[in-house]
Amino acid sequence: MSTFISSWKSPSNIALVKYWGKKPTGIQLPANASISFTLSNCTTTTKLTYTEQETLAIKVLLDGDEEPSFVHKIEQFITRIAPIFPFVKTGRYLIETSNSFPHSSGIASSASGMSALALCICDIAVEKGELTENNFNRTASELARLGSGSASRSVFGPMGEWGKHNDYAGSSDDYAIGYDDIHPVFKDYCDTILLVHKGQKTVSSTVGHGLLDNNPYAEARFAQAGKNMTKMKAILKSGDLDAFIELVESEALTLHSLMMSSNPYFILMKPETLQVIEAIWKKRAEDGVKWSFTLDAGANVHFLYPQADKDSAARFIESELKQYCENGAYIYDEVGMGAERV
Ligand code: DP6
């Protein structure tokens, strides 16, 4: 009975064109293609110690403390990836994981966490002779997708694209691809995450995706997302920041409008979310800065700006935006190069 050990550090990512809604058939296939900036500082580091045995046993340590609440999600993940790697169905798993960001920050750890675990499992599959290095990243992304859709994009930097789209060569619903056909301004774009509300979300992403099945605007949204992917490709290439701002903010507000138009409906923004948005819009109108925002499925605001504006944006955060953050908390981040073995 052999023991295998692997460790990976994998980042979070922030979608510019959003994944919201799954295909009715298949497991965790997206209703539309999406594209994200891979981040650098918000990461999960996971060490997997896997010992062959005839039964399945899973133990998860978060920051050194046993976390039984994660076990169910990991069992579900193992069931989903077993058709790809049957060996995963049995064995003793010791999963030691930690996040660079506070657990209570409201930042979802599923993208970084699921991609880190998927990468560890792929290392073991290579050692067992069941995977070649040529297919490594693609398979890791596919496994990550089965854990959490957005996790598929975290394997790659500076950007990840997931979902079949004719304008993105090699794209697939099954796994994400790395995307770097981008203007230099985007290669180190900044994303400061303003922690407006640190608590647990009232609706999980997984439940939120499901609500699109009965949303009357769903089909129009999926068509719009396809068109926005086409527009985004040209924007990323040209570095047209005015067009970038318009598309990214529209995507964020569309995501939240879908939540508001679902049944049951819900609002994940907080009053401070809108105050931050208004402050960014006011600054842009007054000073002509190319600063913008996006949102994920929560109240926090991702404040986006070019690296060249880092110092002035930092002053703006301190003087104007910080007051809307819970306990004044925010996390500075920027575009990064994807997951790393540690
Ligand atoms: C709003 O990937 O968290 O962040 O696939 O059910 O695990 P599951 O959902 P998840 O959804 C992320 C939604 C989003 C947009 C995005 O990242 O594209």
Side-chain angles (χ1 to χ4, degrees), residues 1-2 4 48-59 78 86-94 128:
M1 293 290 169
S2 310
F4 302 86
L48 170 61
T49 306
Y50 172 82
T51 306
E52 291 174 339
Q53 64 174 31
E54 278 167 17
T55 54
L56 178 66
I58 300 167
K59 185 170 173 178
I78 287 171
F87 77 84
V88 298
K89 279 186 281 190
T90 58
R92 192 164 76 240
Y93 292 74
L94 173 62
K128 289 168 82 70

Side-chain angles (χ1 to χ4, degrees), residues 9-312:
K9 179 163 96 173
S10 192
S12 184
N13 67 73
I14 180 68
L16 303 177
V17 175
K18 308 288 182 181
Y19 148 57
W20 197 243
K22 303 183 194 196
K23 290 224 163 78
T25 52
I27 302 172
Q28 200 91 304
L29 298 173
N32 61 260
S34 59
I35 189 162
S36 53
F37 280 144
T38 304
L39 298 178
S40 305
N41 297 334
C42 288
T43 58
T44 297
T45 301
T46 296
K47 177 180 175 193
L48 170 61
T49 306
Y50 172 82
T51 306
E52 291 174 339
Q53 64 174 31
E54 278 167 17
T55 54
L56 178 66
I58 300 167
K59 185 170 173 178
V60 185
L61 302 183
L62 174 64
D63 297 325
D65 295 327
E66 195 161 351
E67 191 57 64
S69 66
F70 286 9
V71 171
H72 175 69
K73 179 101 185 148
I74 289 167
E75 277 169 356
Q76 186 190 34
F77 174 60
I78 287 171
T79 308
R80 285 185 181 175
I81 67 172
I84 300 173
F85 293 128
F87 77 84
V88 298
K89 279 186 281 190
T90 58
R92 192 164 76 240
Y93 292 74
L94 173 62
I95 299 166
E96 294 169 88
T97 192
S98 61
N99 297 323
S100 66
F101 45 90
H103 188 55
S104 60
S105 62
I107 296 179
S109 58
S110 64
S112 51
M114 280 299 170
S115 53
L117 181 58
L119 285 153
C120 292
I121 288 174
C122 284
D123 265 351
I124 294 168
V126 169
E127 282 196 58
K128 289 168 82 70
E130 296 189 21
L131 178 66
T132 61
E133 286 293 342
N134 282 349
N135 294 326
F136 189 89
N137 283 342
R138 173 186 291 195
T139 306
S141 176
E142 182 167 7
L143 299 192
R145 174 204 114 225
L146 289 163
S148 180
S150 56
S152 64
R153 300 184 307 239
S154 277
V155 172
F156 308 98
M159 302 193 73
E161 190 280 348
W162 172 44
K164 177 86 192 110
H165 192 289
N166 286 340
D167 292 343
Y168 292 80
S171 61
S172 167
D173 284 352
D174 293 329
Y175 46 82
I177 53 173
Y179 192 74
D180 65 359
D181 190 13
I182 63 178
H183 188 276
V185 72
F186 295 123
K187 293 207 164 141
D188 55 4
Y189 221 67
C190 297
D191 174 9
T192 295
I193 307 159
L194 302 159
L195 303 175
V196 160
H197 182 71
K198 300 197 204 162
Q200 285 289 319
K201 289 187 290 189
T202 42
V203 182
S204 75
S205 292
T206 304
V207 171
H209 286 285
L211 293 176
L212 270 202
D213 295 346
N214 298 313
N215 184 308
Y217 305 110
E219 285 311 317
R221 160 57 193 164
F222 303 147
Q224 177 202 45
K227 290 189 184 131
N228 284 350
M229 287 294 285
T230 298
K231 288 186 195 165
M232 186 55 84
K233 187 180 153 105
I235 291 168
L236 291 170
K237 181 91 181 158
S238 69
D240 179 344
L241 292 183
D242 292 318
F244 177 80
I245 289 167
E246 196 181 313
L247 192 57
V248 166
E249 292 188 347
S250 169
E251 273 288 318
L253 296 176
T254 300
L255 169 71
H256 281 256
S257 73
L258 289 166
M259 300 180 198
M260 289 191 246
S261 55
S262 290
N263 183 9
Y265 48 78
F266 49 100
I267 300 178
L268 292 185
M269 288 185 279
K270 297 284 175 196
E272 293 81 1
T273 310
L274 293 176
Q275 285 172 302
V276 168
I277 291 171
E278 281 179 356
I280 294 170
W281 282 354
K282 183 162 176 276
K283 179 77 176 168
R284 202 159 74 215
E286 286 173 1
D287 294 2
V289 290
K290 308 287 185 196
W291 300 349
S292 59
F293 72 87
T294 188
L295 307 167
D296 60 14
N300 294 334
V301 182
H302 290 249
F303 175 40
L304 303 172
Y305 51 91
Q307 184 75 233
D309 295 347
K310 193 172 173 179
D311 294 342
S312 50

